[in-house]
Amino acid sequence: MSEYLKTAKPASERAEDDQKVRETVETILKDIEARGDEAVHELAAKFDNYSKPSFRLSQSEIEALMQKVSAREMEDIKFAQTQVRRFAQAQRDSMTDVEVETLPGVILGHKNIPVQSVGCYVPGGKFPMVASAHMSVLTASVAGVPRIAAATPPFKGEPNPAVITAMHLAGAHEIYVMGGIQAIGALALGTQSIDPVDMLVGPGNAFVAEAKRQLFGRVGIDLLAGPTETMVIADETVDGELCATDLLGQAEHGYNSPAILITNSRKLAQDTMEQIERILKILPTADTAGKSWQDYGEVILCESYDEMLKVANDLASEHVQVMTDRDDWFLEHMTSYGALFLGPRTNVANGDKVIGTNHTLPTKKAGRYTGGLWVGKFLKTHSYQRVVTDEAAAMIGEYCSRLCMLEGFVGHAEQANIRVRRYGGRNVEYGTAVQPQKVE
């Protein structure tokens, strides 16, 4: 049986926090829906200390901001986007339209059609999340979305040049400087100056994730992504310093970012906790990372690899770093997670920033039923059918008629019956099931 050497704050306290977030978000979304731009401007001034006549950047404003990005930064952004584009394009190429003749004269197919307008949220109030532009805007662009509206909060009161550059290079058609609930609400509900989108994507804090949850149905969403979660599955093939570094590297995202170690080594567990305390004394973001570790950090000691696997699948963490003597075994048997990072040579930051896989991933156990953001999220698979011969129309119609009457749907049955009459030349009594023809 697993043993918790360190536990997070009780679930009841987390539930109280979640309830407060839900109530705040609900109130703000209602205000945005009722007052539109006026409400958004008030919220931007209150939460972002940002007030401009228009939240949308002009082309000249975008170009001026891009001039502030150094040559080295520009090259790094382009390198990262190349990696993301290559993987997204490979994913897109794996999705093909289908058309097949399932019976003589019966043609069935499906088409993959891009969502027509998408709002991409790029966090940036606390840290300018340049990489989130690659993950959402660029991936939507590869999918062929014809209208991509991107929004990001101001950083220290102004648009962040690197984030705006990444959005523009990734293919955003509209760029808005606004953050938090007001950005999500404006994009989903629309205002006097912003047309609503069909779908919202991108990570964010608890308020952004809750806003997406409440708006789901009015618009599509990619998934509930936020706050960040990380899990390290490790044995004695690695040391505590490596595990501690990987846990704190994600804990610095926010004050409520779960960081969990699962191990079968008490020695490694103790070493990791000691290393965390040491690193927090020198980590510049220790105020944030330390609070996350204090309230949301956990260390779970298991008796076997099988138990480690079970605990990991039950928790379904967003990021799962695996550093064991059997990494491929975990790859084969893990079923619930956001993304896997296999072996000590890679890490979650690679996935966050540069390697090419998407960093917008399911949190709060959503990995049980969905994967992360990818090019397929921006595509809708729509089916179609075609019957091209009279014989096929009559034959399918006979079966359809009887199956409709089996369920009591007379109107449905008549859709089939009229075609049996016209294309099959049979005299079918109105409102009755077509009977099989007798073979002479």
Side-chain angles (χ1 to χ4, degrees), residues 222-280:
D222 48 355
L223 61 154
L224 299 176
T228 291
E229 303 166 351
T230 198
M231 174 190 293
V232 172
I233 301 174
D235 60 17
E236 289 191 0
T237 58
V238 292
D239 57 61
E241 182 184 29
L242 194 59
C243 295
T245 300
D246 286 339
L247 290 166
L248 292 177
Q250 294 300 302
E252 73 177 359
H253 265 286
Y255 296 104
N256 55 352
S257 297
I260 301 170
L261 172 66
I262 298 176
T263 183
N264 55 1
S265 167
R266 186 177 296 273
K267 176 184 176 184
L268 179 64
Q270 296 291 352
D271 186 26
T272 298
M273 289 189 286
E274 291 171 7
Q275 290 294 326
I276 285 174
E277 296 307 316
R278 180 186 68 81
I279 294 171
L280 284 173

Side-chain angles (χ1 to χ4, degrees), residues 388-435:
V388 297
T389 66
D390 293 351
E391 294 81 5
M395 184 271 292
I396 285 290
E398 288 186 24
Y399 283 96
C400 182
S401 172
R402 294 192 293 271
L403 290 167
C404 290
M405 292 300 292
L406 179 65
E407 297 178 355
F409 285 111
V410 179
H412 282 61
E414 274 303 307
Q415 291 182 266
N417 290 352
I418 194 172
R419 286 163 174 81
V420 174
R421 296 183 194 111
R422 293 189 179 189
Y423 298 109
R426 296 185 60 185
N427 184 19
V428 180
E429 183 180 349
Y430 187 89
T432 64
V434 177
Q435 298 303 312

Side-chain angles (χ1 to χ4, degrees), residues 238 242 246 321-324 327 342-347:
V238 292
L242 194 59
D246 286 339
Q321 174 87 39
V322 182
M323 297 183 289
T324 68
D327 298 343
L342 299 166
R345 292 180 180 83
T346 193
N347 62 85

Side-chain angles (χ1 to χ4, degrees), residues 317-388:
S317 185
E318 177 189 14
H319 305 104
V320 180
Q321 174 87 39
V322 182
M323 297 183 289
T324 68
D325 65 5
R326 58 197 71 192
D327 298 343
D328 287 343
W329 181 83
F330 279 97
L331 173 62
E332 181 181 356
H333 292 93
M334 284 286 294
T335 58
S336 300
Y337 55 90
L340 288 180
F341 304 82
L342 299 166
R345 292 180 180 83
T346 193
N347 62 85
V348 176
N350 279 348
D352 279 348
K353 310 303 178 188
V354 67
I355 208 166
T357 53
N358 207 290
H359 78 192
T360 304
L361 301 166
T363 61
K364 295 190 173 181
K365 294 193 173 184
R368 294 170 300 158
Y369 55 82
T370 186
L373 183 61
W374 71 296
V375 71
K377 290 278 188 178
F378 297 103
L379 295 165
K380 307 170 294 164
T381 302
H382 295 275
S383 64
Y384 62 88
Q385 58 172 269
R386 184 186 299 117
V387 179
V388 297

